[in-house]
């Protein structure tokens, strides 16, 4: 009585375990064995891929097969048939469970090759061994050919010319022996109370003699030196000493102040440029000294002898001119205001310059009208504030040009040319063209603008109107 019951109980336990392994509805119907179907939709493999049959299940299946075979072979002939309902029910349950177990295992074995195969690499945990090296992400680098590599070199950065920065590593004695441009004596002092930087230009010595116009030989006469002072990067608001006549050892003893905050002064570079005055040609740059003020104790102050180095700026600036233009279409009047000029080229050795401005109206290539300002004595920063009016009909405005020429007044001979610009149809540059275009679009509003003066040759080369005036 107990042996069939035990076999039925073991078969149901195996059904339960098999359902936990293969069935998705095991928590609801697994004990009744009604959820274990052979359809593909209800089978879910929850173990490793592909599904493996547990060894204990294979052992149980083999033992069940052996037990069933022995039992059916030995007991069926020997045991007589009875009509007991309990015995009939238990034997039927045992055969049913054994048959269902065998059928499900065979169905799993037949479906194993068709199970999806997923290539999952095993995850290794723990510390890497000494032989294994961590793999770092590779950085994509551009490969350069030899031509591309050497093309990046800039020869000018490695040249040892006068404009290179090799002077930063030379002493003053080495610079003097290399360039032989002389030395400059100057001092600086900052006033915290008034926020003023004072620069004192004391003297210079061993300046080279001037060079003649053709450059073939040196004149035996002495130079006429003077010094220009500015705080880089601002070169517009510069100061200028007087000209010392015919000397290679000028003594200046002049002081100049710059209204500038202390922190801003520390970010500037003091530039001292020594020039040679020439009445009949461009002024020649002898040399320069550049001192970063961040390297100087401005409050304590001090004075230095510095050797002059060559300057890349061979041409001296001629100065700047501030103009205001206004056109009235209803009256057909072109109004011009000459406001001021600054840092004009000095034309007189003794007293600076006596500058004035000549304004000439050119219609097409024909000179129509000439006017001029008064001259101011002994200054290179004159204030004029003078207004002029020219009658220009609106239909002739597009063909009009204004030529502004700055001269140094000379009572004994012809006036000294300082600089020139042309504004209008034949403008001498982009700045002049921009000023004229702004005036045309302003509609009766005055337009002011600063202009850098140009040489006569430069204006004659780019503006036909400059050739029509004197």
């Amino acid at each position: 009585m107990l042996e069939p019951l035990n076999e039925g109980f073991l078969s149901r336990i195996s059904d339960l375990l098999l359902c936990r392994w293969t069935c998705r509805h095991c928590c609801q119907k697994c004990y009744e064995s009604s959820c274990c179907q052979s359809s593909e939709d209800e089978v879910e493999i929850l173990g490793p891929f592909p599904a493996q049959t547990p060894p204990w299940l294979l052992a149980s299946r083999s033992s069940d097969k052996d037990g069933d075979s022995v039992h059916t072979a030995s007991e069926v002939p020997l045991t007589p048939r009875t009509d007991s309902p309990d015995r009939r029910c238990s034997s039927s349950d045992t055969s049913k469970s054994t048959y269902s177990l065998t059928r499900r295992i065979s169905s799993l074995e037949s479906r194993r090759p068709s199970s999806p195969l997923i290539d999952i690499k095993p995850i290794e945990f723990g510390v890497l061994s000494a032989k294994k090296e961590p793999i770092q992400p590779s950085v994509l680098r551009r490969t350069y050919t030899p031509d591309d590599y050497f093309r990046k070199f800039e020869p000018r950065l490695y040249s040892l010319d006068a404009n290179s920065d090799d002077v930063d590593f030379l002493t003053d004695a080495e610079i003097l022996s290399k360039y032989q441009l002389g030395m400059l004596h100057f001092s600086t002092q900052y006033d915290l109370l008034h926020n003023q930087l004072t620069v004192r230009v004391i003297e210079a010595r061993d300046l080279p003699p001037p060079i003649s116009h053709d450059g073939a030989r040196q004149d035996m006469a002495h130079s006429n030196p003077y010094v220009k002072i500015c705080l880089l990067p601002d070169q517009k608001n510069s100061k200028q000493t007087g000209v010392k006549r015919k000397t290679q050892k000028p003594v200046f003893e002049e002081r100049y102040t710059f209204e500038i905050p202390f922190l801003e002064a520390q970010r500037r570079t003091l530039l001292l440029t020594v020039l040679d005055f020439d009445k009949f040609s461009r002024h020649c740059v002898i040399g320069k000294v550049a001192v970063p003020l961040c390297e100087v104790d401005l409050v304590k102050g001090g004075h230095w002898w510095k050797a002059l180095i060559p300057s890349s700026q061979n041409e001296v600036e001629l100065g700047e001119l501030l103009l205001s233009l206004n056109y009235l279409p209803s009256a057909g009047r072109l109004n011009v205001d000459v406001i001021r000029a600054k840092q004009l080229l000095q034309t007189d050795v003794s007293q600076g310059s006596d500058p004035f401005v000549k304004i000439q109206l050119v219609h097409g290539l024909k000179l129509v009208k000439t006017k001029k300002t008064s001259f101011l004595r002994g200054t290179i920063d004159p204030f004029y504030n003078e207004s002029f009016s020219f009658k220009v009909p609106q239909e002739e405005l597009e063909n009009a040009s204004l030529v502004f020429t700055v001269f140094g007044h000379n009572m004994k001979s012809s006036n000294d040319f300082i600089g020139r610009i042309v504004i209008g149809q034949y403008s001498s540059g982009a700045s002049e063209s921009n000023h004229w275009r702004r005036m045309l679009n302003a509609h009766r509003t005055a337009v002011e603008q600063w202009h850098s003066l140009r040489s006569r040759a430069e204006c004659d080369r780019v503006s036909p109107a400059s050739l029509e005036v004197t």
Side-chain angles (χ1 to χ4, degrees), residues 439-456:
M439 182 207 69
L440 296 178
N441 298 330
H443 303 294
R444 302 180 180 86
T445 303
V447 179
E448 294 184 5
Q449 184 171 324
W450 281 99
H451 297 278
S452 297
L453 296 176
R454 305 174 186 269
S455 65
R456 188 195 303 267

Side-chain angles (χ1 to χ4, degrees), residues 141-145 148:
R141 300 182 183 273
R142 179 182 175 185
T143 58
Y144 293 94
T145 61
D148 295 335

Side-chain angles (χ1 to χ4, degrees), residues 285-353:
V285 178
I286 298 176
K288 69 176 182 179
V289 173
V291 179
L293 296 182
C294 60
E295 302 176 358
V296 178
D297 189 347
L298 295 178
V299 178
K300 182 179 179 180
H303 61 90
W304 303 270
W305 277 99
K306 290 291 184 179
L308 297 176
I309 62 175
S311 175
S312 59
Q313 183 182 1
N314 295 324
E315 295 185 356
V316 181
E317 294 182 356
L318 302 177
E320 293 184 281
L321 187 63
L322 179 60
L323 302 173
S324 175
L325 301 180
N326 178 25
Y327 183 73
L328 301 177
S330 58
R333 307 296 296 183
L334 178 60
N335 300 323
V336 178
D337 295 335
V338 181
I339 303 174
R340 60 168 295 195
K342 66 179 181 180
Q343 295 300 308
L344 296 178
L345 184 67
Q346 189 168 341
T347 59
D348 196 326
V349 176
S350 59
Q351 57 181 4
S353 300

Side-chain angles (χ1 to χ4, degrees), residues 131-297:
K131 295 183 180 180
K132 294 184 179 181
E133 297 180 0
I135 300 176
Q136 299 294 335
S138 59
V139 179
L140 297 179
R141 300 182 183 273
R142 179 182 175 185
T143 58
Y144 293 94
T145 61
D147 295 338
D148 295 335
Y149 181 77
F150 288 106
R151 193 178 294 115
K152 289 183 174 295
F153 284 101
E154 299 184 20
R156 64 179 182 85
L157 298 179
Y158 302 92
S159 60
L160 297 178
D161 57 356
N163 298 327
S164 61
D165 296 333
D166 62 334
V167 295
D168 296 337
F169 304 98
L170 300 178
T171 63
D172 288 328
E174 293 173 341
I175 294 175
L176 183 61
S177 62
K178 181 177 181 178
Y179 300 113
Q180 299 180 357
L181 296 177
M183 301 190 73
L184 182 64
H185 190 196
F186 63 97
S187 67
T188 60
Q189 179 76 46
Y190 190 84
D191 186 358
L192 290 174
L193 183 61
H194 300 92
N195 289 333
Q196 291 180 349
L197 175 66
T198 302
V199 179
R200 177 189 171 200
V201 182
I202 305 173
E203 60 180 322
R205 70 184 183 192
D206 301 329
L207 298 180
I211 299 177
S212 62
H213 297 182
D214 57 4
R217 63 181 181 84
Q218 289 185 342
D219 294 335
M220 298 305 296
H222 294 288
S223 301
N224 300 313
Y226 66 97
V227 181
K228 206 168 186 177
I229 309 104
C230 67
L231 298 177
L232 297 178
D234 182 15
Q235 298 188 27
K236 302 299 182 182
N237 299 320
S238 60
K239 311 291 184 179
Q240 180 176 313
T241 68
V243 178
K244 303 303 176 180
R245 300 183 62 182
K246 298 181 179 181
T247 178
Q248 308 306 120
K249 299 179 180 180
V251 178
F252 300 101
E253 284 295 345
E254 299 183 22
R255 297 173 182 267
Y256 301 93
T257 59
F258 295 87
E259 300 284 344
I260 184 173
F262 180 74
L263 295 179
E264 179 64 23
Q266 289 185 318
R267 292 192 286 265
R268 299 294 187 93
T269 298
L270 175 63
L271 178 63
L272 302 169
T273 307
V274 181
L275 303 101
D276 183 15
F277 175 86
D278 191 343
K279 181 178 178 63
F280 302 102
S281 65
R282 284 291 186 92
H283 295 191
C284 177
V285 178
I286 298 176
K288 69 176 182 179
V289 173
V291 179
L293 296 182
C294 60
E295 302 176 358
V296 178
D297 189 347

Side-chain angles (χ1 to χ4, degrees), residues 344-348 351-357 374-380 382 384 406-411 415-416 418:
L344 296 178
L345 184 67
Q346 189 168 341
T347 59
D348 196 326
Q351 57 181 4
S353 300
D354 302 331
F356 68 94
V357 182
S374 58
F375 66 90
L376 303 178
R377 294 185 179 274
T379 179
I380 59 175
Y384 296 106
V406 182
F407 290 96
H409 183 263
N410 193 332
M411 298 182 63
N415 297 324
D416 302 318
I418 295 179

